[in-house]
Amino acid sequence: MGSNQAAVSFLTNLARAAFGLGAAATALNASLYTVDGGERAVLFDRFRGVIDTTIGEGTHFLIPWLQKPFIFDIRTRPHTFSSVSGTKDLQMVNLTLRVLSHPDVTKLPQIFQRLGLEYDEKVLPSIGNEVLKAVVAQFNADQLLTERPHVSALVRESLIKRARDFNILLEDVAITHLSYGAEFSRAVEQKQVAQQEAERSKFVVMKADQERRAAIIRAEGESEAAKMISDATSKAGTGLIELRRIEASREIAATLAKSPNVSYLPGGANMLLALNPGR
């Protein structure tokens, strides 16, 4: 009987010890939290509120139930968003902006109090659209292409300044896409076609002008040659004309002699060739 009571007492004590160890392990586990690499923590206290201290990497203690950790990812992350903005000449432009951002580690308690864990999703699209619309409105539609580096620099400078107001740091800002509305694209295409037609018409006019000048020069040359021949004939007689007729007759006779279809020279050849028409 005594041995049974001893065994029951031993088992009871063992169960109590195991329960105590389990409770202690649970309490210890609830008192610890881990901050991984690339993360920081903000601690919320039920009595003091958000503690104004950023907690670094490693394993840390807290008071169970009274305190609760909130983990922030402080690594640089990309964000992409689009905006439809109006230019200075009232053209609609589709823009896509890509930014690389991370929070200011020293300001994480303030970020948590004002914006929460999803601070970037709440802030970046809003200020991005605001900055894009403000910058694009300063330029005409064609200037967005010809002065794109300047436009990107203005967007970057303005967006970095606005993000800093929310304790967000930007490492890179880039315009990745820019396109115009259908009406503006059609107008640009029509303008290019009109310019090509104007250049073609200009070429046709220049060609006609050159041909006109060539015709004038040719006519002046022929007139000058005729005048010189006329002057020479009036002074020296028609010997030069007779010589030219003889040369032409020789060329015609040589051509006819080589032709297989002509075997003799017609009797009226002298009259046809106009040789000595006065005889």
Side-chain angles (χ1 to χ4, degrees):
M1 191 70 178
S3 61
N4 290 336
Q5 290 179 350
V8 171
S9 176
F10 175 76
L11 292 175
T12 302
N13 293 332
L14 183 62
R16 289 176 179 175
F19 178 78
L21 289 175
T26 302
L28 181 63
N29 184 62
S31 301
L32 297 175
Y33 66 97
T34 300
V35 179
D36 295 328
E39 296 179 342
R40 293 293 185 274
V42 172
L43 201 61
F44 173 75
D45 189 282
R46 292 183 181 273
F47 294 124
R48 294 181 294 169
V50 177
I51 298 176
D52 193 18
T53 302
T54 300
I55 301 172
E57 301 170 1
T59 300
H60 306 275
F61 288 95
L62 56 77
I63 302 174
W65 183 83
L66 187 63
Q67 295 177 333
K68 181 179 180 181
F70 292 89
I71 307 298
F72 279 84
D73 186 352
I74 63 168
R75 289 168 289 196
T76 300
R77 294 189 294 177
H79 300 272
T80 302
F81 47 88
S82 300
S83 174
V84 179
S85 304
T87 63
K88 188 176 181 180
D89 53 354
L90 303 181
Q91 298 294 334
M92 302 308 296
V93 181
N94 300 314
L95 291 162
T96 300
L97 195 66
R98 184 177 185 271
V99 300
L100 299 178
S101 68
H102 64 85
D104 185 349
V105 176
T106 61
K107 303 294 184 179
L108 285 180
Q110 291 89 330
I111 293 176
F112 179 73
Q113 286 178 324
R114 295 176 58 188
L115 302 170
L117 293 175
E118 299 178 353
Y119 62 94
D120 48 359
E121 298 297 335
K122 296 177 180 178
V123 172
L124 292 179
S126 176
I127 64 175
N129 278 279
E130 174 191 346
V131 169
L132 279 177
K133 292 181 184 298
V135 172
V136 169
Q138 303 176 27
F139 297 88
N140 292 331
D142 56 344
Q143 291 178 323
L144 292 179
L145 293 176
T146 58
E147 302 181 21
R148 184 163 180 171
H150 180 49
V151 175
S152 298
L154 285 179
V155 171
R156 175 186 175 87
E157 180 182 352
S158 301
L159 194 56
I160 288 176
K161 184 177 180 181
R162 288 288 289 122
R164 194 177 291 116
D165 294 338
F166 297 91
N167 300 314
I168 299 175
L169 304 180
L170 302 183
E171 294 186 2
D172 184 62
V173 179
I175 298 176
T176 59
H177 176 73
L178 189 153
S179 64
Y180 297 97
E183 294 183 358
F184 182 79
S185 300
R186 193 180 305 112
V188 171
E189 182 178 357
Q190 292 174 353
K191 180 180 178 181
Q192 292 176 345
V193 172
Q195 289 178 343
Q196 293 175 357
E197 291 293 337
E199 291 294 330
R200 187 178 296 108
S201 300
K202 182 179 178 181
F203 172 76
V204 171
V205 171
M206 292 177 61
K207 181 180 179 182
D209 184 61
Q210 293 295 329
E211 291 177 349
R212 180 182 61 82
R213 293 184 180 182
I216 292 174
I217 295 173
R218 191 182 306 110
E220 291 176 348
E222 292 176 354
S223 176
E224 186 68 25
K227 182 179 179 182
M228 293 175 63
I229 294 173
S230 177
D231 292 342
T233 302
S234 62
K235 292 180 181 180
T238 60
L240 179 61
I241 298 176
E242 292 297 331
L243 178 61
R244 293 290 185 264
R245 287 178 178 176
I246 293 172
E247 290 176 351
S249 300
R250 290 177 61 185
E251 292 179 0
I252 295 173
T255 301
L256 293 174
K258 294 179 182 179
S259 177
N261 297 325
V262 177
S263 58
Y264 66 94
L265 200 62
N270 290 336
M271 181 182 67
L272 292 174
L273 296 174
L275 293 176
N276 299 325
R279 296 181 183 178

